[in-house]
Amino acid sequence: MNPFTLALLFFGLLLGTTITLTSSHWLVAWMGLEINTLAIIPLMAKQHHPRATEATTKYFLTQATAAATLLFASTTNAWLTGQWDIQLMTHPIPTTIIILALALKIGLAPLHTWLPEVLQGLDLFTGLILSTWQKLAPFSLLLQIPAANQQVLILLGLASTLVGGWGGLNQTQLRKILAYSSIAHLGWMLIILQFTPSLTLLALITYVIMTSSLFLIFNYNTTTNINSLATAWAKAPLLTSIAPLLLLSLGGLPPMTGFMPKWLILQELTKQQLPMTATIAALTALLSLYFYLRLSYAMTLTITPNNLANTTPWRLPSMKRALPITITALSTTLLLPLAPAMLALVTL
Amino acid sequence: MSLVQMSRLSVTRLALHAQNHHLLLSSSVSPLITFKRTMLQDPYRRPGQPKENKFPWEKINFDLSKGLAGIKKHFALLKKEFADRWVGPEGKPIIEHLLEQNRVVWEFRGPESLEDWVVSSDREIGGHSEAYLKIGRNNNTCLLYGTLNSTPPRDGETRYSGYCTMKSKQQLSSFDRKKHFDWTSFNTLHLRVRGDGRPWMINIGFETYFSHQKDDLYSYFLYTRGGPYWQDVKIPFSKFFLTHRGRIQDDQHCLWLDKVNSIGFTLGDKADGPFQLEIDFIGVCKDYAHTEEFAYEVYKRNPEV
């Protein structure tokens, strides 16, 4: 793509999220979300493949619906309460509608069906932007809304962890697996939203780092399904050896970073007298862990039948950038001891 | 009636006139409003025949026993789908999915395997070609045979004719949802055929989203050699090019193998006379030596000078 156009679109993405992050008026926040949607549309359709166009269309339709619903609910709130401030929403009906609209925006169950198909139609880098950057703006709004409806938030959260775990179980396409993992993590973020919003922010930050590392590794190996992932040991053996750690971190196992949000969320849920919710969330995380383990099995713990010992490809130095992988991979594995500092960072 | 006159009509008069919509609009403009036909699921209309103007509820046939049998079948399929998930992707353990390098997708080992295929020729549009499908000797192969006749039908619309085709039916999972083939682990189509020297076209139908992609197919040639010996044909999927209604498209992209719906063979080589194609099996395999992603380059159509 023309570098000026690319720069303009990235600037548009940056602008949209920044506008939403810094807004206190619903109209300005909606505007930021729309700028985000419109800026990413050409990036998604850049490939010109019919599947990319299909993914772009589906993304645009869902995001436009969500934005329209958001606008409708904020207008209703303005009508009922006389003000447009995000943090002063008192009426339960517009609040619930806005939560559902934002759930459609980020892809929470049961409004998640677009996410695997859309991610499958994109190349890995655009998928990375979709999974990470595009979640920041809606979450900034979710964090600011006074948590009114206890049931709907917990329901969305548990449904997402369940659907994210169950849906990803028999996928062989990596982008769909990452979509379902995204749904599951978003569920974890939403469960704790009404009790300790800072833990939601912590979970979001750690999720962004972990999923970026995975996307970047898959991009480095240029692989989009499990079978081609199995040949990664010949292309980048060091990456292949640390990838299981990253996957286990995404699954929430100690001593990796991914354990931190899960542990703190479960602790907080127990303190809030919700042991059943905590149990269900923890059990559904096991489903996600199963397909992360399957990925690490296919990648590192097996050698495919194709590359025999005397047909190993040339280990030419790769032209792809490795610094982002380095940073995100280190952060994904080593940040658990810094838990108090990270908590202090995200305390709102 | 011109568009200016149409805009002055009231709604009811407009609706009355819509019955005779071929008078309402000039023939170069397609109908803007179709009251009686749904635009999405039109069955095939033979050129020269009048359009069937039935409401959807006039086309229903009720039958209780068929309904009950249908419920049983679909719930059984749904249960199987759930149960398969416990085993692994596509009902096979993951280790089998990782190790799979060849897969036979269609095999002709008995008359019931012909149920998966649809044979048609230009007889549908009023031509004179014939095509039949039968199981070959020893229940081991299928034989597509018939006669090609390129005399166009005399219906005033059709100019060319003379084709025969065989296409696999769309696979359906529970409740008549489409089931796609996931061939991402493979990169080559492997057929074992015995033809009569004619050039055939292999068409792969993939899952589309927009309605204008309805007739999109990926095609490639199959040159048969005739003779009594079997021919093993291996065509990499990177060689397939995108066509729409038989015409090669300018904007080419590689075939995405994660949602393939059907495969078909078409004969339209303008040579009148009998033809035969015997197919042993159709499978997909992984050729590790084939690293090409797409065989065709796309150049800028209107380069700036």
Side-chain angles (χ1 to χ4, degrees):
Chain A
M1 202 191 247
N2 188 351
F4 298 115
T5 323
L6 205 60
L8 186 66
L9 293 171
F10 280 124
F11 174 71
L13 276 179
L14 190 63
L15 180 70
T17 307
T18 314
I19 288 180
T20 310
L21 288 177
T22 56
S23 66
S24 56
H25 191 289
W26 269 119
L27 277 184
V28 179
W30 169 82
M31 195 175 73
L33 289 173
E34 288 283 87
I35 293 175
N36 244 357
T37 308
L38 291 175
I40 204 176
I41 294 290
L43 288 174
M44 291 168 70
K46 185 172 53 150
Q47 249 188 338
H48 292 301
H49 194 280
R51 291 289 293 278
T53 319
E54 172 190 336
T56 314
T57 313
K58 285 181 179 168
Y59 183 74
F60 176 72
L61 289 173
T62 49
Q63 300 290 303
T65 311
T69 315
L70 189 94
L71 193 59
F72 166 68
S74 53
T75 316
T76 312
N77 182 58
W79 181 259
L80 291 170
T81 60
Q83 48 81 29
W84 290 88
D85 208 302
I86 298 180
Q87 295 178 348
L88 300 176
M89 292 192 78
T90 46
H91 202 284
I93 293 181
T95 315
T96 314
I97 298 179
I98 282 193
I99 290 175
L100 290 175
L102 291 169
L104 177 57
K105 263 230 179 265
I106 52 180
L108 280 166
L111 306 160
H112 65 283
T113 39
W114 58 275
L115 191 58
E117 294 295 323
V118 167
L119 262 183
Q120 175 68 9
L122 307 174
D123 53 316
L124 283 162
F125 188 68
T126 319
L128 168 65
I129 301 179
L130 198 88
S131 293
T132 53
W133 186 257
Q134 298 289 79
K135 309 277 188 261
L136 295 178
F139 259 104
S140 74
L141 296 174
L142 275 170
L143 285 166
Q144 292 181 69
I145 298 170
N149 202 330
Q150 203 184 42
Q151 283 82 16
V152 84
L153 284 171
I154 295 201
L155 199 66
L156 285 174
L158 286 181
S160 302
T161 52
L162 188 59
V163 163
W166 181 260
L169 268 186
N170 276 326
Q171 302 293 338
T172 52
Q173 299 290 327
L174 293 176
R175 288 165 289 185
K176 283 196 179 173
I177 288 182
L178 287 171
Y180 283 108
S181 107
S182 162
I183 296 170
H185 277 95
L186 293 171
W188 277 91
M189 290 174 219
L190 215 66
I191 286 179
I192 203 64
L193 181 65
Q194 51 191 307
F195 305 116
T196 318
S198 48
L199 284 182
T200 302
L201 193 53
L202 176 72
L204 180 63
I205 293 174
T206 48
Y207 162 71
V208 162
I209 298 173
M210 293 190 291
T211 207
S212 307
S213 67
L214 265 194
F215 264 106
L216 291 168
I217 286 186
F218 294 152
N219 197 21
Y220 192 91
N221 288 321
T222 328
T223 159
T224 50
N225 60 328
I226 292 188
N227 280 345
S228 52
L229 195 63
T231 60
W233 66 271
K235 295 177 202 164
L238 185 58
L239 270 186
T240 311
S241 58
I242 58 174
L245 293 175
L246 304 180
L247 286 161
L248 291 176
S249 177
L250 206 54
L253 289 187
M256 267 76 68
T257 315
F259 179 58
M260 182 175 22
K262 289 204 161 69
W263 156 43
L264 294 169
I265 288 175
L266 288 175
Q267 187 178 16
E268 188 59 41
L269 280 176
T270 332
K271 280 188 206 166
Q272 299 282 345
Q273 314 294 330
L274 290 172
M276 208 51 219
T277 311
T279 315
I280 297 175
L283 287 176
T284 50
L286 288 178
L287 293 170
S288 309
L289 185 63
Y290 183 61
F291 59 78
Y292 297 136
L293 280 174
R294 178 184 277 168
L295 281 185
S296 51
Y297 172 73
M299 195 173 177
T300 315
L301 303 174
T302 54
I303 295 186
T304 53
N306 62 321
N307 275 326
L308 305 172
N310 55 354
T311 60
T312 337
W314 289 107
R315 302 248 183 95
L316 297 166
S318 170
M319 298 309 291
K320 303 210 167 148
R321 290 181 291 270
L323 183 63
I325 304 181
T326 322
I327 298 174
T328 46
L330 278 176
S331 313
T332 313
T333 42
L334 298 175
L335 281 180
L336 186 61
L338 294 175
M342 293 207 58
L343 261 181
L345 186 71
V346 298
T347 306
L348 291 164
Chain B
M1 220 202 265
S2 69
L3 282 172
V4 176
Q5 283 176 305
M6 221 166 68
S7 59
R8 295 213 193 98
L9 288 176
S10 70
V11 174
T12 43
R13 291 200 66 196
L14 199 62
L16 280 176
H17 278 284
Q19 305 279 339
N20 311 321
H21 54 256
H22 58 276
L23 300 173
L24 192 63
L25 298 160
S26 63
S27 55
S28 58
V29 177
S30 56
L32 294 167
I33 35 175
T34 52
F35 284 133
K36 285 205 168 189
R37 287 175 297 118
T38 92
M39 307 240 292
L40 297 170
Q41 303 286 337
D42 255 358
Y44 177 71
R45 177 191 72 89
R46 187 164 141 169
Q49 304 278 47
K51 293 178 186 152
E52 202 187 74
N53 264 336
K54 272 178 154 182
F55 284 105
W57 54 84
E58 288 166 354
K59 296 182 200 162
I60 304 176
N61 307 327
F62 277 117
D63 187 350
L64 185 65
S65 58
K66 256 203 322 192
L68 284 176
I71 291 176
K72 254 201 322 196
K73 177 180 103 163
H74 288 304
F75 274 104
L77 280 174
L78 190 65
K79 192 173 89 126
K80 183 170 174 300
E81 260 179 54
F82 270 100
D84 278 348
R85 263 188 160 241
W86 288 115
V87 182
E90 294 173 346
K92 298 190 295 269
I94 188 74
I95 191 73
E96 239 182 77
H97 173 85
L98 284 179
L99 291 174
E100 208 175 19
Q101 296 179 41
N102 298 283
R103 187 196 291 181
V104 174
V105 189
W106 285 281
E107 220 177 18
F108 299 95
R109 299 287 183 264
E112 60 277 349
S113 54
L114 295 184
E115 306 279 315
D116 292 329
W117 294 85
V118 175
V119 176
S120 79
S121 62
D122 64 358
R123 185 175 280 257
E124 314 279 329
I125 58 167
H128 308 287
S129 311
E130 294 165 359
Y132 307 100
L133 186 67
K134 70 175 188 191
I135 285 282
R137 280 193 216 168
N138 294 332
N139 276 0
N140 253 344
T141 61
C142 86
L143 183 66
L144 177 68
Y145 66 100
T147 318
L148 212 62
N149 189 331
S150 45
T151 318
R154 297 171 63 146
D155 53 12
E157 281 184 33
T158 322
R159 285 186 295 173
Y160 311 107
S161 180
Y163 66 86
C164 296
T165 171
M166 170 172 135
K167 186 175 160 181
S168 70
K169 285 188 187 160
Q170 170 73 55
Q171 298 225 321
L172 297 173
S173 69
S174 56
F175 299 102
D176 288 340
R177 290 173 298 149
K178 279 194 206 173
K179 195 154 72 164
H180 312 290
F181 291 109
D182 183 4
W183 290 342
T184 40
S185 334
F186 310 100
N187 65 356
T188 310
L189 185 68
H190 182 176
L191 328 164
R192 200 165 136 87
V193 298
R194 189 159 56 179
D196 54 353
R198 285 180 184 258
W200 290 73
M201 196 85 153
I202 304 183
N203 307 311
I204 294 186
F206 62 108
E207 175 65 12
T208 57
Y209 181 62
F210 301 104
S211 54
H212 56 67
Q213 288 176 306
K214 184 166 65 82
D215 301 312
D216 274 5
L217 289 172
Y218 275 88
S219 313
Y220 199 69
F221 322 106
L222 170 66
Y223 287 104
T224 51
R225 293 281 167 247
Y229 298 110
W230 284 94
Q231 194 181 343
D232 269 295
V233 178
K234 278 192 173 179
I235 307 173
F237 287 117
S238 62
K239 301 283 186 197
F240 281 80
F241 50 86
L242 179 65
T243 61
H244 178 82
R245 296 185 70 117
R247 295 175 205 278
I248 304 180
Q249 299 302 296
D250 287 331
D251 199 16
Q252 288 290 333
H253 303 281
C254 69
L255 168 63
W256 278 34
L257 292 159
D258 58 344
K259 281 192 177 161
V260 175
N261 278 345
S262 64
I263 199 170
F265 301 91
T266 307
L267 179 66
D269 61 348
K270 300 181 228 182
D272 292 359
F275 68 87
Q276 273 190 359
L277 180 72
E278 202 173 350
I279 307 178
D280 185 2
F281 68 83
I282 300 168
V284 284
C285 67
K286 187 164 188 178
D287 184 4
Y288 290 104
H290 184 82
T291 50
E292 183 186 59
E293 284 177 15
F294 191 51
Y296 311 103
E297 291 179 327
V298 178
Y299 298 101
K300 271 189 178 173
R301 272 162 286 154
N302 298 310
E304 51 268 0
V305 288

